[in-house]
Amino acid sequence: NEGNDYFKEKDYKRAVVAYSEGLKKCADPELNAVLHTNRGAAQFHLGNYRSALNDAIQAKKLKPTHLKAIIRGALCHMELKNFSEAIAWCEEGLQIDAKEKKLVETRAKADKLKVNRDPLELGMDSSTPWQLRAVVGTDLLCERNIKLVLEPSSEEEEISDGLAEISIDGFHCDNATGSKVHLDADGNLNWPVLFLYPEHEQTDFIAAFHENSRFIDHLMVMFAELPPWDLERKYLPSSLELYFEDEERAEMYELNPGHTLLQVLQHERYFVKAGTPTVLALVKHSPFSEKYFSGKKVHRL
């Protein structure tokens, strides 16, 4: 009920925390399916489409016929540009209710977008970095003093179905490049941001990280409930340190979690690569962290 109240007030961050507390206390599968679905809806409104999808998957496991969870999962796949998966979720839901309007509309849209995925078909200049075509003008980035790594476009560049795959130190994220930086109605940029957890070779992806949002606010939401891979229960927002890598100089820089995304992107040594800002998260003073930074030049706060 507390989560629902926050949701109605559009305080989605507090709603996520409330639903997470409910999940810790509740052992009823039916109610847990609702809690996961509601938390997924709140995560969706925050632009955390990966987390929202995970909640939809959990809700569907608990209650396979839960239409709201299936609709949410389909919408998440749409935002993540996983059009084939979106279609599959829609088909599953339409078997339960063949007239469900949202699923019918989403399936039709997914079919259409699946065919027209190549950004070159939209009349964009092939010399423009593909991640930023028809999304934001470079003048907006220059105004903000944001620096891009502009990789040359050539025939050797392979982009499957109009998308590319990010590969960073063994991490792979198919969905990260499916979302692009975009300008909202208030003139603010929203970026796709990738979080890497080297100790566990895991990732988190935020499809729309508002440039004026602080990192700590996202960490509070992302780790309101400990991830299943954190068996030692040590990934708490207060226990994490964030870093970015200056590849040119082979140096690491620690970030202030209280800073906004824009403040970090404006750092003199931050360069946005592949259209997706990336940060690394490690547990403070952990044996892995000490080993990870051994022999590396690290600029700490």
Side-chain angles (χ1 to χ4, degrees):
N1 288 338
E2 184 181 311
N4 289 347
D5 289 340
Y6 283 131
F7 193 96
K8 288 172 187 173
E9 296 168 6
K10 298 186 179 181
D11 191 343
Y12 301 119
K13 291 178 183 177
R14 285 195 173 93
V16 166
V17 174
Y19 292 135
S20 298
E21 288 301 313
L23 284 164
K24 292 177 185 176
K25 304 288 184 185
C26 182
D28 178 67
E30 185 94 6
L31 181 52
N32 277 341
V34 174
L35 286 165
H36 274 295
T37 302
N38 289 2
R39 188 174 69 176
Q43 294 276 29
F44 187 91
H45 283 287
L46 289 167
N48 299 333
Y49 303 123
R50 168 90 64 169
S51 297
L53 178 60
N54 288 338
D55 270 321
I57 291 169
Q58 291 303 315
K60 191 154 69 82
K61 284 181 182 177
L62 292 166
K63 188 179 179 183
T65 59
H66 194 29
L67 265 180
K68 284 188 176 180
I70 293 172
I71 292 169
R72 183 63 56 194
L75 293 175
C76 288
H77 278 303
M78 289 295 290
E79 293 294 336
L80 294 168
K81 307 296 186 288
N82 300 331
F83 302 125
S84 295
E85 289 86 346
I87 291 169
W89 278 64
C90 288
E91 290 290 348
E92 190 174 346
L94 290 169
Q95 288 179 12
I96 300 167
D97 183 354
K99 296 180 180 179
E100 168 53 54
K101 184 179 177 183
K102 195 69 180 174
L103 290 175
V104 172
E105 291 175 351
T106 302
R107 198 204 184 294
K109 186 177 179 182
D111 269 330
K112 184 178 179 181
L113 290 172
K114 187 181 177 186
V115 174
N116 301 313
R117 290 177 72 177
D118 188 348
L120 290 175
E121 293 177 8
L122 303 178
M124 302 170 194
D125 184 351
S126 61
S127 66
T128 306
W130 68 270
Q131 298 90 347
L132 301 176
R133 290 175 194 152
V135 183
V136 298
T138 53
D139 55 330
L140 288 173
L141 303 178
C142 291
E143 284 174 7
R144 289 164 167 79
N145 194 28
I146 295 174
K147 299 166 287 297
L148 303 176
V149 175
L150 302 180
E151 298 181 18
S153 176
S154 70
E155 294 181 2
E156 296 178 3
E157 182 182 21
E158 294 183 6
I159 302 177
S160 175
D161 292 326
L163 302 178
E165 180 184 86
I166 282 182
S167 175
I168 305 171
D169 294 335
F171 294 89
H172 297 274
C173 182
D174 295 316
N175 294 327
T177 53
S179 296
K180 300 178 180 68
V181 57
H182 65 273
L183 198 65
D184 63 23
D186 297 320
N188 297 305
L189 292 180
N190 291 262
W191 290 84
V193 175
L194 187 63
F195 285 78
L196 307 179
Y197 310 108
E199 183 173 2
H200 297 278
E201 296 190 355
Q202 296 287 334
T203 65
D204 265 323
F205 176 63
I206 296 176
F209 194 131
H210 191 287
E211 64 181 348
N212 293 323
S213 289
R214 303 182 308 163
F215 279 87
I216 187 61
D217 294 330
H218 279 280
L219 291 177
M220 293 295 288
V221 172
M222 291 156 61
F223 293 98
E225 185 174 303
L226 291 172
W229 43 263
D230 181 19
L231 301 179
E232 297 178 41
R233 304 178 68 81
K234 59 186 182 181
Y235 276 71
L236 305 170
S238 59
S239 303
L240 297 178
E241 291 178 331
L242 303 179
Y243 296 86
F244 73 85
E245 184 174 6
D246 179 348
E247 294 185 11
E248 183 182 326
R249 297 182 180 177
E251 298 176 358
M252 306 291 296
Y253 287 82
E254 184 181 358
L255 309 182
N256 184 338
H259 280 175
T260 65
L261 174 61
L262 180 58
Q263 287 176 301
V264 171
L265 296 183
Q266 289 175 332
H267 189 285
E268 62 178 355
R269 294 308 304 169
Y270 199 102
F271 296 88
V272 178
K273 186 178 180 181
T276 304
T278 304
V279 296
L280 291 86
L282 297 102
V283 176
K284 296 175 185 176
H285 312 303
S286 67
F288 178 88
S289 176
E290 307 220 346
K291 182 179 178 183
Y292 186 84
F293 290 121
S294 177
K296 295 181 181 179
K297 185 172 183 180
V298 182
H299 300 270
R300 298 188 182 275
L301 294 175

